[in-house]
Amino acid sequence: MEKGVLSAAAMRSALFSQLPATETSRLLAASMPRQFQPGQVLFHQGDTSEYLYQIVAGLVRITQINSEGEQITLRIMRPGDLCCVAAFRQPSYPATATAIEDTTVLAWRVGSFVALTQQSPAIADNVVCIAGDRTREMLQRATEMTGKCIAQRIAASLLRLSAQAGTATADGIHIESPVTRVDLASMAGLTYFTVSRTLSAWQKQGLVRSGRHRLTILDMARISEIAEPRPARG
Amino acid sequence: MEKGVLSAAAMRSALFSQLPATETSRLLAASMPRQFQPGQVLFHQGDTSEYLYQIVAGLVRITQINSEGEQITLRIMRPGDLCCVAAFRQPSYPATATAIEDTTVLAWRVGSFVALTQQSPAIADNVVCIAGDRTREMLQRATEMTGKCIAQRIAASLLRLSAQAGTATADGIHIESPVTRVDLASMAGLTYFTVSRTLSAWQKQGLVRSGRHRLTILDMARISEIAEPRPARG
DNA sequence: CGACTCGTTGAGACAACTCAATGGGTGTGG
DNA sequence: CCACACCCATTGAGTTGTCTCAACGAGTCG
């Protein structure tokens, strides 16, 4: 990918949002473009945090190992997302990031990135926004996981997944190849089998269309309703 | 509480950490001390976010309503904690905060706090640190909840609770009155009864001492081991 | 066309939930 | 000072729902 295209793509992101031109160029100047192939790991859980990544193209799966030794998919990162806010001022990465498509990122050394935020209130402000957003999402996720009803957890994970890795089509939201129901299961903290059963049932009801390596949400409204039975207060 | 004491207490916190004197006084000048009695609500989930709070004394329970309509305890906030980072640049509070002891806070209007962070890189830096920390914690929590084994979830919640609301005694970590096993159940996403059963079993093994409105962790090491069976990989 | 992989489905086991009843502290009023 | 009532915690029995494991079916690739 060419440098101009790369920075153009990067600038449509929360990190670069509403930044004065000087800050934008400082950020870009300090960044290093890097490429990852599917399966390549950007960083491992527990590694000393050296780099921050802004995803420009591709898809990245963020996983954590739970106490039973299973890989839990926390979220899918897409172009525009900043990886990983939780490591920002921490000694080590809290999770593992794996490219699941050909992925292009801008990388910053943690030290230089911190220096930039300290020099530029505008950048710092954007980082704070992103961090708040991410915290809120994880808060939400932690709450969702406490629900007893499995269908709700699957529906909630499905919504999350569709927002993070879905593409809109005529039929509905389409979730493509590298993201399988294995991801769905590991996001919802369930078995494979249970997810498969639930999706089968939903398919019979016309809520989703599910197949080999692909998944389409046909009736977004009802999936949302399953995830959140009583329309959220507030 | 007197103003001097109040600010002295506030300054031993992540928000004020390593702040130049000018920033400290600006923060303090913009703050308003407020008092809450047990049961009083600092803010409700879904309310427009008007204030940020730094807890100076007391204890605050952060809860969220899950899709089944149950109150989930997300964490307990203690003196030094900043409430709530997740609302920082968000239109509404993502959770409800309730005082569970007589609680003193410093409050900032969101607008003036944002202005301060935009003027002061040092403050912004601290906020980012706090947000990163909180995100990491919730990330961890979301992962813990995916575990099938109930004992692990209870143990993990117990550790979290003891860190957030425990006091060290000769016997072990003591978790006192306003935090009951109802909290523990709602943190772990379990029923009352299941938590009670598990704690009984642990009491027989001498891991905890559990009673009316009080709970002491006697064998921290083994509780940790239950929470994290295979010592976390690095 | 055959081998392989991914997804579905079924039967049985087991663990947590539901609900009800009992036990034990704590505080109050006689 | 004792007895009662109340609240919190414990325990038990039955039910439900997910997990485990195994076999089957379908789609994909060579």
Side-chain angles (χ1 to χ4, degrees), chain B residues 148-150 189-191 193-194 197 212 214:
Chain B
K148 276 99 202 169
C149 180
I150 287 320
L190 300 168
T191 36
F193 308 100
T194 305
R197 269 180 246 273
R212 190 186 178 79
R214 92 189 75 95

Side-chain angles (χ1 to χ4, degrees), chain B residues 6 18 26 35 61 81 134-135 140 144 169 197 200 217:
Chain B
L6 199 144
Q18 310 203 355
R26 274 159 101 190
Q35 294 273 352
R61 181 191 284 119
D81 287 333
R134 201 64 46 82
T135 304
Q140 184 75 32
E144 277 164 11
T169 69
R197 269 180 246 273
S200 294
I217 303 179

Side-chain angles (χ1 to χ4, degrees), chain A:
Chain A
M1 193 178 293
E2 198 218 324
K3 184 95 185 183
V5 178
L6 199 145
S7 53
M11 286 171 64
R12 283 188 300 276
S13 67
L15 177 61
F16 286 87
S17 146
Q18 309 203 356
L19 232 49
T22 52
E23 325 289 79
T24 302
S25 49
R26 272 157 101 191
L27 264 180
L28 285 176
S31 74
M32 296 165 281
R34 291 178 69 176
Q35 294 273 351
F36 294 93
Q37 276 158 26
Q40 266 195 294
V41 170
L42 282 74
F43 50 83
H44 281 284
Q45 179 176 350
D47 281 359
T48 304
S49 41
E50 276 191 85
Y51 293 97
L52 293 175
Y53 301 97
Q54 162 84 35
I55 305 195
V56 176
L59 276 185
V60 174
R61 180 191 285 119
I62 308 293
T63 59
Q64 219 176 23
I65 306 288
N66 76 357
S67 47
E68 271 141 6
E70 303 162 337
Q71 267 216 346
I72 300 299
T73 301
L74 285 167
R75 63 177 275 133
I76 305 290
M77 308 286 268
R78 55 160 40 174
D81 288 333
L82 186 65
C83 259
C84 55
V85 189
F88 188 51
R89 296 304 299 275
Q90 307 279 338
S92 65
Y93 295 110
T96 299
T98 313
I100 52 179
E101 277 183 359
D102 281 311
T103 297
T104 310
V105 301
L106 291 180
W108 290 270
R109 296 206 80 93
V110 167
S112 42
F113 194 90
V114 168
L116 281 170
T117 62
Q118 284 171 346
Q119 286 157 29
S120 159
I123 298 177
D125 196 46
N126 279 350
V127 172
V128 169
C129 285
I130 295 169
D133 213 45
R134 200 62 47 80
T135 304
R136 192 192 188 106
E137 182 184 325
M138 283 302 140
L139 213 81
Q140 183 75 33
R141 220 177 110 74
T143 299
E144 276 164 12
M145 299 309 291
T146 64
K148 275 102 201 166
C149 180
I150 287 320
Q152 289 180 2
R153 277 158 63 176
I154 296 179
S157 300
L158 206 50
L159 291 178
R160 211 171 283 290
L161 205 51
S162 68
Q164 290 167 4
T167 54
T169 69
D171 294 339
I173 307 288
H174 199 72
I175 299 170
E176 197 99 21
S177 168
V179 179
T180 74
R181 62 204 62 205
V182 183
D183 279 289
L184 199 52
S186 94
M187 280 181 82
L190 299 168
T191 13
Y192 210 34
F193 308 101
T194 305
V195 171
S196 182
R197 269 180 247 273
T198 306
L199 287 180
S200 293
W202 286 352
Q203 179 153 21
K204 274 169 198 152
Q205 294 167 43
L207 301 181
V208 301
R209 189 164 47 222
S210 143
R212 191 185 178 80
H213 278 168
R214 90 189 77 96
L215 184 59
T216 309
I217 303 179
L218 300 174
D219 194 339
M220 201 62 170
R222 288 203 49 203
I223 297 287
S224 305
E225 205 181 318
I226 292 170
E228 196 89 19
R230 49 192 60 198
R233 58 138 279 145

